[in-house]
Amino acid sequence: MTGHRRVGVVIATRDRRDRLAVTLRHLGGLPERPEILVADNASTDGTRAMVARDFPHVRVLALSRNHGALARNHGARALDTPYVAFSDDDSWWAPGALARAADLFDAHPRLGLIAARTLVGPDNAPDPLNDLLARSPLGPATDLPGVQVLGFLACASVVRRTAYLDAGGFHRVLFFGGEETCLAYDLAARGWGVTHCPDVVAHHHPATSGRPGRPVQQRRNEVLTAWLRRPVRHALARTGALAAEARADTTARRALRQTFALLPAALRARRPLPPHVERAARLLDLEGAIA
């Protein structure tokens, strides 16, 4: 089976028309010729018209409101390829990366998610996350490629579609910002392998100005993920640490307020990890790693 029949690409976007156009040009030039689906989070900047005009081969899933990271869930359901690669509107895949990912999935039936090696900006600087993933203390598994991890960058990940949907995709409580860890936990809890494979390469060109509110979302979601999946003692400790920082830090204070607002929903969706995954998560805690 050829690469383009095996892998589709889902891009979640909102009001970033010009950056999305750059990403679509890169993806459209890949030798694999993947199916591309834009999951548009109710953009108001003409995104949909631009795609229809300039990229008629690209499918658009027009969402009626902003679903955040859950737009990827809608996109994955809309595709019928066995494997789904995620890009953001500022990232794309290196030539041959998607074919390589598909080969790895074909050869390893338990593999659920590949965390790629990420190169940043026009200089192709290695993302610091690459080394953290490569040094994961979880090590290799005999039936999986690469090294086992419990963290990844969403815009540099490829999933087995059935595994992704089996795990429920990105969690609705988290919405956006640091949403990856909970999905890695949920895949591992259901027996799927999550690994870092450095021969699968993604390019990421984030805006130098960053995105307002992202640090707050990430801090909030770190704590909410603990309440969703980790032991109560661990979740209380993470909440207490954020509360202590909130006394002197505006970002932490905003994150704490948002955490408390979403905590009832997180508690209703709480599903602690099975013991073997909790042990792996605890090992990563002790190593100070995110992988």
Side-chain angles (χ1 to χ4, degrees), residues 23-40:
T23 289
L24 291 177
R25 284 195 289 272
H26 282 282
L27 293 175
L30 291 178
E32 296 96 329
R33 294 291 187 265
E35 180 176 0
I36 303 170
L37 185 147
V38 171
D40 181 55

mmCIF file with all atom_site columns, all heavy atoms in Angstrom, residues 23-40:
data_model
loop_
_atom_site.group_PDB
_atom_site.id
_atom_site.type_symbol
_atom_site.label_atom_id
_atom_site.label_alt_id
_atom_site.label_comp_id
_atom_site.label_asym_id
_atom_site.label_entity_id
_atom_site.label_seq_id
_atom_site.pdbx_PDB_ins_code
_atom_site.Cartn_x
_atom_site.Cartn_y
_atom_site.Cartn_z
_atom_site.occupancy
_atom_site.B_iso_or_equiv
_atom_site.pdbx_formal_charge
_atom_site.auth_seq_id
_atom_site.auth_comp_id
_atom_site.auth_asym_id
_atom_site.auth_atom_id
_atom_site.pdbx_PDB_model_num
ATOM 1   N N   . THR A 1 23 ? 1.512   26.348 5.474  1.00 0.00 ? 23 THR A N   1
ATOM 2   C CA  . THR A 1 23 ? 1.500   24.928 5.835  1.00 0.00 ? 23 THR A CA  1
ATOM 3   C C   . THR A 1 23 ? 0.917   24.077 4.716  1.00 0.00 ? 23 THR A C   1
ATOM 4   O O   . THR A 1 23 ? 1.457   23.012 4.368  1.00 0.00 ? 23 THR A O   1
ATOM 5   C CB  . THR A 1 23 ? 0.695   24.734 7.134  1.00 0.00 ? 23 THR A CB  1
ATOM 6   O OG1 . THR A 1 23 ? 1.437   25.274 8.227  1.00 0.00 ? 23 THR A OG1 1
ATOM 7   C CG2 . THR A 1 23 ? 0.423   23.261 7.415  1.00 0.00 ? 23 THR A CG2 1
ATOM 8   N N   . LEU A 1 24 ? -0.173  24.524 4.121  1.00 0.00 ? 24 LEU A N   1
ATOM 9   C CA  . LEU A 1 24 ? -0.815  23.737 3.058  1.00 0.00 ? 24 LEU A CA  1
ATOM 10  C C   . LEU A 1 24 ? 0.071   23.623 1.827  1.00 0.00 ? 24 LEU A C   1
ATOM 11  O O   . LEU A 1 24 ? 0.073   22.579 1.151  1.00 0.00 ? 24 LEU A O   1
ATOM 12  C CB  . LEU A 1 24 ? -2.166  24.360 2.699  1.00 0.00 ? 24 LEU A CB  1
ATOM 13  C CG  . LEU A 1 24 ? -3.239  24.251 3.786  1.00 0.00 ? 24 LEU A CG  1
ATOM 14  C CD1 . LEU A 1 24 ? -4.512  24.968 3.353  1.00 0.00 ? 24 LEU A CD1 1
ATOM 15  C CD2 . LEU A 1 24 ? -3.543  22.800 4.126  1.00 0.00 ? 24 LEU A CD2 1
ATOM 16  N N   . ARG A 1 25 ? 0.843   24.660 1.544  1.00 0.00 ? 25 ARG A N   1
ATOM 17  C CA  . ARG A 1 25 ? 1.769   24.561 0.403  1.00 0.00 ? 25 ARG A CA  1
ATOM 18  C C   . ARG A 1 25 ? 2.832   23.510 0.668  1.00 0.00 ? 25 ARG A C   1
ATOM 19  O O   . ARG A 1 25 ? 3.191   22.731 -0.234 1.00 0.00 ? 25 ARG A O   1
ATOM 20  C CB  . ARG A 1 25 ? 2.407   25.929 0.117  1.00 0.00 ? 25 ARG A CB  1
ATOM 21  C CG  . ARG A 1 25 ? 1.477   26.897 -0.598 1.00 0.00 ? 25 ARG A CG  1
ATOM 22  C CD  . ARG A 1 25 ? 2.230   28.076 -1.176 1.00 0.00 ? 25 ARG A CD  1
ATOM 23  N NE  . ARG A 1 25 ? 2.704   28.977 -0.137 1.00 0.00 ? 25 ARG A NE  1
ATOM 24  C CZ  . ARG A 1 25 ? 1.989   29.992 0.356  1.00 0.00 ? 25 ARG A CZ  1
ATOM 25  N NH1 . ARG A 1 25 ? 0.758   30.225 -0.089 1.00 0.00 ? 25 ARG A NH1 1
ATOM 26  N NH2 . ARG A 1 25 ? 2.490   30.787 1.286  1.00 0.00 ? 25 ARG A NH2 1
ATOM 27  N N   . HIS A 1 26 ? 3.360   23.469 1.872  1.00 0.00 ? 26 HIS A N   1
ATOM 28  C CA  . HIS A 1 26 ? 4.367   22.452 2.207  1.00 0.00 ? 26 HIS A CA  1
ATOM 29  C C   . HIS A 1 26 ? 3.767   21.047 2.157  1.00 0.00 ? 26 HIS A C   1
ATOM 30  O O   . HIS A 1 26 ? 4.368   20.132 1.579  1.00 0.00 ? 26 HIS A O   1
ATOM 31  C CB  . HIS A 1 26 ? 4.953   22.731 3.586  1.00 0.00 ? 26 HIS A CB  1
ATOM 32  C CG  . HIS A 1 26 ? 5.978   23.823 3.613  1.00 0.00 ? 26 HIS A CG  1
ATOM 33  N ND1 . HIS A 1 26 ? 7.273   23.637 3.195  1.00 0.00 ? 26 HIS A ND1 1
ATOM 34  C CD2 . HIS A 1 26 ? 5.887   25.121 3.998  1.00 0.00 ? 26 HIS A CD2 1
ATOM 35  C CE1 . HIS A 1 26 ? 7.951   24.779 3.327  1.00 0.00 ? 26 HIS A CE1 1
ATOM 36  N NE2 . HIS A 1 26 ? 7.131   25.692 3.815  1.00 0.00 ? 26 HIS A NE2 1
ATOM 37  N N   . LEU A 1 27 ? 2.610   20.873 2.763  1.00 0.00 ? 27 LEU A N   1
ATOM 38  C CA  . LEU A 1 27 ? 1.998   19.548 2.786  1.00 0.00 ? 27 LEU A CA  1
ATOM 39  C C   . LEU A 1 27 ? 1.596   19.094 1.388  1.00 0.00 ? 27 LEU A C   1
ATOM 40  O O   . LEU A 1 27 ? 1.692   17.910 1.050  1.00 0.00 ? 27 LEU A O   1
ATOM 41  C CB  . LEU A 1 27 ? 0.774   19.548 3.711  1.00 0.00 ? 27 LEU A CB  1
ATOM 42  C CG  . LEU A 1 27 ? 1.057   19.736 5.207  1.00 0.00 ? 27 LEU A CG  1
ATOM 43  C CD1 . LEU A 1 27 ? -0.260  19.850 5.975  1.00 0.00 ? 27 LEU A CD1 1
ATOM 44  C CD2 . LEU A 1 27 ? 1.887   18.586 5.762  1.00 0.00 ? 27 LEU A CD2 1
ATOM 45  N N   . GLY A 1 28 ? 1.145   20.035 0.570  1.00 0.00 ? 28 GLY A N   1
ATOM 46  C CA  . GLY A 1 28 ? 0.749   19.691 -0.785 1.00 0.00 ? 28 GLY A CA  1
ATOM 47  C C   . GLY A 1 28 ? 1.901   19.248 -1.656 1.00 0.00 ? 28 GLY A C   1
ATOM 48  O O   . GLY A 1 28 ? 1.685   18.587 -2.684 1.00 0.00 ? 28 GLY A O   1
ATOM 49  N N   . GLY A 1 29 ? 3.135   19.590 -1.283 1.00 0.00 ? 29 GLY A N   1
ATOM 50  C CA  . GLY A 1 29 ? 4.303   19.205 -2.055 1.00 0.00 ? 29 GLY A CA  1
ATOM 51  C C   . GLY A 1 29 ? 4.951   17.915 -1.605 1.00 0.00 ? 29 GLY A C   1
ATOM 52  O O   . GLY A 1 29 ? 5.981   17.509 -2.161 1.00 0.00 ? 29 GLY A O   1
ATOM 53  N N   . LEU A 1 30 ? 4.370   17.242 -0.615 1.00 0.00 ? 30 LEU A N   1
ATOM 54  C CA  . LEU A 1 30 ? 4.976   16.003 -0.113 1.00 0.00 ? 30 LEU A CA  1
ATOM 55  C C   . LEU A 1 30 ? 4.861   14.888 -1.146 1.00 0.00 ? 30 LEU A C   1
ATOM 56  O O   . LEU A 1 30 ? 3.833   14.750 -1.821 1.00 0.00 ? 30 LEU A O   1
ATOM 57  C CB  . LEU A 1 30 ? 4.293   15.569 1.185  1.00 0.00 ? 30 LEU A CB  1
ATOM 58  C CG  . LEU A 1 30 ? 4.522   16.446 2.416  1.00 0.00 ? 30 LEU A CG  1
ATOM 59  C CD1 . LEU A 1 30 ? 3.736   15.912 3.600  1.00 0.00 ? 30 LEU A CD1 1
ATOM 60  C CD2 . LEU A 1 30 ? 6.006   16.528 2.766  1.00 0.00 ? 30 LEU A CD2 1
ATOM 61  N N   . PRO A 1 31 ? 5.888   14.050 -1.243 1.00 0.00 ? 31 PRO A N   1
ATOM 62  C CA  . PRO A 1 31 ? 5.823   12.940 -2.210 1.00 0.00 ? 31 PRO A CA  1
ATOM 63  C C   . PRO A 1 31 ? 4.733   11.932 -1.879 1.00 0.00 ? 31 PRO A C   1
ATOM 64  O O   . PRO A 1 31 ? 4.232   11.239 -2.769 1.00 0.00 ? 31 PRO A O   1
ATOM 65  C CB  . PRO A 1 31 ? 7.216   12.310 -2.120 1.00 0.00 ? 31 PRO A CB  1
ATOM 66  C CG  . PRO A 1 31 ? 7.745   12.710 -0.784 1.00 0.00 ? 31 PRO A CG  1
ATOM 67  C CD  . PRO A 1 31 ? 7.176   14.079 -0.521 1.00 0.00 ? 31 PRO A CD  1
ATOM 68  N N   . GLU A 1 32 ? 4.349   11.833 -0.608 1.00 0.00 ? 32 GLU A N   1
ATOM 69  C CA  . GLU A 1 32 ? 3.303   10.884 -0.219 1.00 0.00 ? 32 GLU A CA  1
ATOM 70  C C   . GLU A 1 32 ? 1.915   11.309 -0.691 1.00 0.00 ? 32 GLU A C   1
ATOM 71  O O   . GLU A 1 32 ? 0.993   10.486 -0.714 1.00 0.00 ? 32 GLU A O   1
ATOM 72  C CB  . GLU A 1 32 ? 3.277   10.709 1.310  1.00 0.00 ? 32 GLU A CB  1
ATOM 73  C CG  . GLU A 1 32 ? 4.530   10.093 1.888  1.00 0.00 ? 32 GLU A CG  1
ATOM 74  C CD  . GLU A 1 32 ? 5.499   11.148 2.403  1.00 0.00 ? 32 GLU A CD  1
ATOM 75  O OE1 . GLU A 1 32 ? 5.532   12.267 1.830  1.00 0.00 ? 32 GLU A OE1 1
ATOM 76  O OE2 . GLU A 1 32 ? 6.214   10.857 3.376  1.00 0.00 ? 32 GLU A OE2 1
ATOM 77  N N   . ARG A 1 33 ? 1.738   12.597 -1.010 1.00 0.00 ? 33 ARG A N   1
ATOM 78  C CA  . ARG A 1 33 ? 0.436   13.119 -1.424 1.00 0.00 ? 33 ARG A CA  1
ATOM 79  C C   . ARG A 1 33 ? -0.674  12.690 -0.450 1.00 0.00 ? 33 ARG A C   1
ATOM 80  O O   . ARG A 1 33 ? -1.667  12.090 -0.840 1.00 0.00 ? 33 ARG A O   1
ATOM 81  C CB  . ARG A 1 33 ? 0.082   12.668 -2.841 1.00 0.00 ? 33 ARG A CB  1
ATOM 82  C CG  . ARG A 1 33 ? 0.992   13.240 -3.910 1.00 0.00 ? 33 ARG A CG  1
ATOM 83  C CD  . ARG A 1 33 ? 0.746   14.750 -4.047 1.00 0.00 ? 33 ARG A CD  1
ATOM 84  N NE  . ARG A 1 33 ? 1.467   15.330 -5.175 1.00 0.00 ? 33 ARG A NE  1
ATOM 85  C CZ  . ARG A 1 33 ? 2.649   15.903 -5.104 1.00 0.00 ? 33 ARG A CZ  1
ATOM 86  N NH1 . ARG A 1 33 ? 3.280   15.956 -3.939 1.00 0.00 ? 33 ARG A NH1 1
ATOM 87  N NH2 . ARG A 1 33 ? 3.219   16.421 -6.170 1.00 0.00 ? 33 ARG A NH2 1
ATOM 88  N N   . PRO A 1 34 ? -0.527  13.037 0.833  1.00 0.00 ? 34 PRO A N   1
ATOM 89  C CA  . PRO A 1 34 ? -1.537  12.603 1.802  1.00 0.00 ? 34 PRO A CA  1
ATOM 90  C C   . PRO A 1 34 ? -2.850  13.345 1.599  1.00 0.00 ? 34 PRO A C   1
ATOM 91  O O   . PRO A 1 34 ? -2.887  14.468 1.083  1.00 0.00 ? 34 PRO A O   1
ATOM 92  C CB  . PRO A 1 34 ? -0.910  12.983 3.144  1.00 0.00 ? 34 PRO A CB  1
ATOM 93  C CG  . PRO A 1 34 ? -0.073  14.187 2.817  1.00 0.00 ? 34 PRO A CG  1
ATOM 94  C CD  . PRO A 1 34 ? 0.506   13.893 1.455  1.00 0.00 ? 34 PRO A CD  1
ATOM 95  N N   . GLU A 1 35 ? -3.928  12.717 2.023  1.00 0.00 ? 35 GLU A N   1
ATOM 96  C CA  . GLU A 1 35 ? -5.191  13.439 2.107  1.00 0.00 ? 35 GLU A CA  1
ATOM 97  C C   . GLU A 1 35 ? -5.053  14.470 3.218  1.00 0.00 ? 35 GLU A C   1
ATOM 98  O O   . GLU A 1 35 ? -4.557  14.159 4.305  1.00 0.00 ? 35 GLU A O   1
ATOM 99  C CB  . GLU A 1 35 ? -6.343  12.482 2.412  1.00 0.00 ? 35 GLU A CB  1
ATOM 100 C CG  . GLU A 1 35 ? -7.687  13.177 2.506  1.00 0.00 ? 35 GLU A CG  1
ATOM 101 C CD  . GLU A 1 35 ? -8.849  12.232 2.724  1.00 0.00 ? 35 GLU A CD  1
ATOM 102 O OE1 . GLU A 1 35 ? -8.600  11.013 2.794  1.00 0.00 ? 35 GLU A OE1 1
ATOM 103 O OE2 . GLU A 1 35 ? -9.987  12.725 2.818  1.00 0.00 ? 35 GLU A OE2 1
ATOM 104 N N   . ILE A 1 36 ? -5.496  15.688 2.976  1.00 0.00 ? 36 ILE A N   1
ATOM 105 C CA  . ILE A 1 36 ? -5.363  16.777 3.947  1.00 0.00 ? 36 ILE A CA  1
ATOM 106 C C   . ILE A 1 36 ? -6.752  17.264 4.325  1.00 0.00 ? 36 ILE A C   1
ATOM 107 O O   . ILE A 1 36 ? -7.580  17.563 3.450  1.00 0.00 ? 36 ILE A O   1
ATOM 108 C CB  . ILE A 1 36 ? -4.535  17.941 3.377  1.00 0.00 ? 36 ILE A CB  1
ATOM 109 C CG1 . ILE A 1 36 ? -3.147  17.456 2.939  1.00 0.00 ? 36 ILE A CG1 1
ATOM 110 C CG2 . ILE A 1 36 ? -4.393  19.057 4.416  1.00 0.00 ? 36 ILE A CG2 1
ATOM 111 C CD1 . ILE A 1 36 ? -2.364  18.483 2.145  1.00 0.00 ? 36 ILE A CD1 1
ATOM 112 N N   . LEU A 1 37 ? -6.999  17.367 5.627  1.00 0.00 ? 37 LEU A N   1
ATOM 113 C CA  . LEU A 1 37 ? -8.275  17.860 6.126  1.00 0.00 ? 37 LEU A CA  1
ATOM 114 C C   . LEU A 1 37 ? -8.014  18.996 7.106  1.00 0.00 ? 37 LEU A C   1
ATOM 115 O O   . LEU A 1 37 ? -7.261  18.825 8.076  1.00 0.00 ? 37 LEU A O   1
ATOM 116 C CB  . LEU A 1 37 ? -9.058  16.741 6.806  1.00 0.00 ? 37 LEU A CB  1
ATOM 117 C CG  . LEU A 1 37 ? -10.477 17.087 7.266  1.00 0.00 ? 37 LEU A CG  1
ATOM 118 C CD1 . LEU A 1 37 ? -11.397 15.879 7.158  1.00 0.00 ? 37 LEU A CD1 1
ATOM 119 C CD2 . LEU A 1 37 ? -10.491 17.609 8.711  1.00 0.00 ? 37 LEU A CD2 1
ATOM 120 N N   . VAL A 1 38 ? -8.613  20.149 6.851  1.00 0.00 ? 38 VAL A N   1
ATOM 121 C CA  . VAL A 1 38 ? -8.529  21.293 7.754  1.00 0.00 ? 38 VAL A CA  1
ATOM 122 C C   . VAL A 1 38 ? -9.768  21.287 8.634  1.00 0.00 ? 38 VAL A C   1
ATOM 123 O O   . VAL A 1 38 ? -10.900 21.401 8.130  1.00 0.00 ? 38 VAL A O   1
ATOM 124 C CB  . VAL A 1 38 ? -8.427  22.621 6.979  1.00 0.00 ? 38 VAL A CB  1
ATOM 125 C CG1 . VAL A 1 38 ? -8.552  23.808 7.932  1.00 0.00 ? 38 VAL A CG1 1
ATOM 126 C CG2 . VAL A 1 38 ? -7.111  22.695 6.222  1.00 0.00 ? 38 VAL A CG2 1
ATOM 127 N N   . ALA A 1 39 ? -9.575  21.134 9.940  1.00 0.00 ? 39 ALA A N   1
ATOM 128 C CA  . ALA A 1 39 ? -10.676 21.232 10.900 1.00 0.00 ? 39 ALA A CA  1
ATOM 129 C C   . ALA A 1 39 ? -10.697 22.667 11.404 1.00 0.00 ? 39 ALA A C   1
ATOM 130 O O   . ALA A 1 39 ? -9.887  23.053 12.243 1.00 0.00 ? 39 ALA A O   1
ATOM 131 C CB  . ALA A 1 39 ? -10.476 20.239 12.045 1.00 0.00 ? 39 ALA A CB  1
ATOM 132 N N   . ASP A 1 40 ? -11.597 23.455 10.853 1.00 0.00 ? 40 ASP A N   1
ATOM 133 C CA  . ASP A 1 40 ? -11.608 24.894 11.111 1.00 0.00 ? 40 ASP A CA  1
ATOM 134 C C   . ASP A 1 40 ? -12.512 25.227 12.297 1.00 0.00 ? 40 ASP A C   1
ATOM 135 O O   . ASP A 1 40 ? -13.714 24.983 12.273 1.00 0.00 ? 40 ASP A O   1
ATOM 136 C CB  . ASP A 1 40 ? -12.081 25.646 9.869  1.00 0.00 ? 40 ASP A CB  1
ATOM 137 C CG  . ASP A 1 40 ? -12.080 27.144 10.116 1.00 0.00 ? 40 ASP A CG  1
ATOM 138 O OD1 . ASP A 1 40 ? -11.024 27.675 10.502 1.00 0.00 ? 40 ASP A OD1 1
ATOM 139 O OD2 . ASP A 1 40 ? -13.148 27.783 9.955  1.00 0.00 ? 40 ASP A OD2 1
#
